[in-house]
Amino acid sequence: METENPVNYKYMGRSFNDLSINDDSTAFSDCNSDRSGEFPSASSQNRRLVLACANSENSDELIRQLVSDLDSCSIDEQKQAALELRLLAKNKPENRLKIAKAGAIRPLISLISSSDPYLQENGVTAILNLSLCDENKELIASAGAIKPLVRALRTGTSTAKENAACALLRLSQVEENKVAIGRSGAIPLLVNLLENGGFRGKKDASTALYSLCTVKENKIRAVEAGIMRPLVELMADFGSNMVDKSAFVMSVLVPVPEAKTALVEEGGIPVLVEIIEVGSQRQKEIAVAILLQICEDSVLFRTMVAREGAIPPLVALSQSGTNRAKQKAETLIELLRQPRSGNAAARHSDVSV
């Protein structure tokens, strides 16, 4: 598995050990448990769930019964069992390991392939909630969850798609799962969710793609799936609340040549220059880092960036930005002002943003 590693960037005798963007913690609030209502009704089943949440002994007994009900011949019993396990795993972190140890993972994965949309949705979401426990991630992946989750991403309800994206994100936090998820066909479906989903779907898709695209082959899959168009469109829409997320995803893609070309073809240069002019400090820093990468090996792209009017806002940023942003802005200004020959800058195949 080939992952992208940070490298030193040298320009005109100056060496920069770190041109990375590390402040992604607030841009990507991790996909946590499902955002469903706690208890949809005051039924006797849900009253016993409240009791189970309050009492460890009751929860152990209930979990065993619910896992058994997952294999029931009655769809209604399966639905209720999946729903209650989903909520037990959501409400008490210690239940996640208990539910897995009780043997729930494989029958829940089977429900993800159900033709009943409600059953599928609860199966997906129960697996998502179980995956919040680190000890469960490898168990879920080894039990064969990836392909069913990808099918849910293709055919499920909007909630099932969103929660499948979150579950795949959680599984991708085990490094060796990233290639398996990419090869399962998840990347084009996540790109589609990024482009066509609601706000939560876009957010969940971008977070999953950000994690998965640390692997080079997944970067290429994402570019081939047309990711640059929705990324550029979301970055251009300051009211979307997706500028930071989209820019971070773009920053992990641009080390590959295919991504640089696609970014320019989709009109990304004017958008990045506008972000340097009017974006937040963090957005400006990400935009400069991306432009550095697309300009380092291409005289044509440097010319396009300069003609777009990038130098004045870069000068302003070099005077008033953070220390990291100033450094990047100064480097890009020097790169843009050099003679329009291809020999003035030291060339590298990869620069970390």
Side-chain angles (χ1 to χ4, degrees):
M1 177 173 63
E2 185 175 354
T3 56
E4 300 293 327
N5 296 314
V7 298
N8 288 345
Y9 178 67
K10 293 181 181 179
Y11 175 68
M12 297 183 71
R14 298 164 64 191
S15 178
F16 303 97
N17 292 327
D18 182 16
L19 284 178
S20 62
I21 300 288
N22 294 321
D23 185 22
D24 61 0
S25 57
T26 55
F28 292 104
S29 55
D30 200 6
C31 291
N32 294 313
S33 61
D34 66 281
R35 290 84 156 178
S36 63
E38 296 296 317
F39 302 104
S41 70
S43 67
S44 60
Q45 290 94 336
N46 289 323
R47 280 197 295 273
R48 70 172 178 168
L49 190 54
V50 174
L51 290 172
C53 286
N55 185 297
S56 177
E57 186 175 328
N58 286 342
S59 70
D60 290 347
E61 181 181 348
L62 177 58
I63 286 168
R64 286 192 293 270
Q65 181 59 53
L66 292 174
V67 172
S68 176
D69 289 346
L70 291 175
D71 291 321
S72 171
C73 295
S74 166
I75 290 181
D76 289 339
E77 285 187 7
Q78 288 181 313
K79 287 180 181 178
Q80 187 63 35
L83 171 63
E84 295 195 31
L85 287 168
R86 160 184 175 170
L87 293 174
L88 282 168
K90 172 183 178 178
N91 290 310
K92 294 194 75 175
E94 58 267 33
N95 285 336
R96 295 165 189 159
L97 198 54
K98 288 182 181 180
I99 291 168
K101 287 182 176 179
I105 290 175
R106 287 190 183 277
L108 284 171
I109 291 172
S110 296
L111 298 187
I112 297 175
S113 300
S114 172
S115 59
D116 183 298
Y118 185 77
L119 199 55
Q120 181 189 57
E121 183 180 308
N122 278 299
V124 167
T125 312
I127 288 294
L128 163 61
N129 292 348
L130 293 178
S131 73
L132 299 176
C133 172
D134 287 340
E135 292 95 325
N136 288 341
K137 290 186 178 76
E138 290 188 23
L139 293 173
I140 291 169
S142 63
I146 291 173
K147 288 184 178 179
L149 286 169
V150 171
R151 284 197 294 272
L153 198 56
R154 179 183 294 110
T155 64
T157 65
S158 60
T159 298
K161 289 178 179 180
E162 292 162 357
N163 288 342
C166 281
L168 290 169
L169 165 68
R170 300 297 303 192
L171 298 184
S172 76
Q173 291 168 347
V174 177
E175 195 68 22
E176 51 266 32
N177 289 338
K178 293 183 179 182
V179 169
I181 293 170
R183 292 176 180 177
S184 71
I187 302 292
L189 297 170
L190 288 167
V191 171
N192 182 63
L193 186 61
L194 177 69
E195 187 165 18
N196 299 309
F199 174 68
R200 188 192 151 195
K202 292 178 188 296
K203 181 175 74 69
D204 293 343
S206 67
T207 308
L209 287 162
Y210 181 73
S211 175
L212 290 166
C213 288
T214 59
V215 176
K216 185 173 181 180
E217 68 180 70
N218 287 342
K219 298 181 199 287
I220 295 170
R221 288 190 181 95
V223 174
E224 290 175 345
I227 194 173
M228 280 301 169
R229 177 175 296 176
L231 288 180
V232 169
E233 289 175 350
L234 289 167
M235 288 170 60
D237 182 2
F238 284 89
S240 69
N241 292 318
M242 287 291 298
V243 176
D244 293 52
K245 296 176 181 65
S246 301
F248 273 114
V249 176
M250 186 177 287
S251 75
V252 299
L253 295 172
V254 288
V256 298
E258 297 91 338
K260 294 181 175 74
T261 302
L263 184 158
V264 174
E265 289 176 348
E266 294 295 342
I269 288 176
V271 172
L272 290 165
V273 172
E274 183 182 14
I275 289 173
I276 296 172
E277 291 175 334
V278 301
S280 68
Q281 285 296 322
R282 180 170 65 179
Q283 291 166 358
K284 291 178 180 181
E285 186 179 344
I286 306 169
V288 175
I290 294 170
L291 287 174
L292 266 173
Q293 291 211 73
I294 68 170
C295 288
E296 56 158 347
D297 289 327
S298 173
V299 174
L300 173 61
F301 292 166
R302 288 178 220 157
T303 302
M304 293 173 70
V305 171
R307 287 179 178 172
E308 196 58 44
I311 291 179
L314 284 169
V315 170
L317 184 61
S318 71
Q319 296 170 348
S320 63
T322 64
N323 288 336
R324 288 161 55 90
K326 287 178 181 179
Q327 183 186 52
K328 293 184 177 83
E330 290 168 359
T331 305
L332 183 55
I333 290 167
E334 292 177 8
L335 191 60
L336 296 176
R337 283 177 169 169
Q338 72 178 34
R340 296 289 189 257
S341 67
N343 300 320
R347 305 254 176 114
H348 291 262
S349 61
D350 207 355
V351 180
S352 173
V353 295

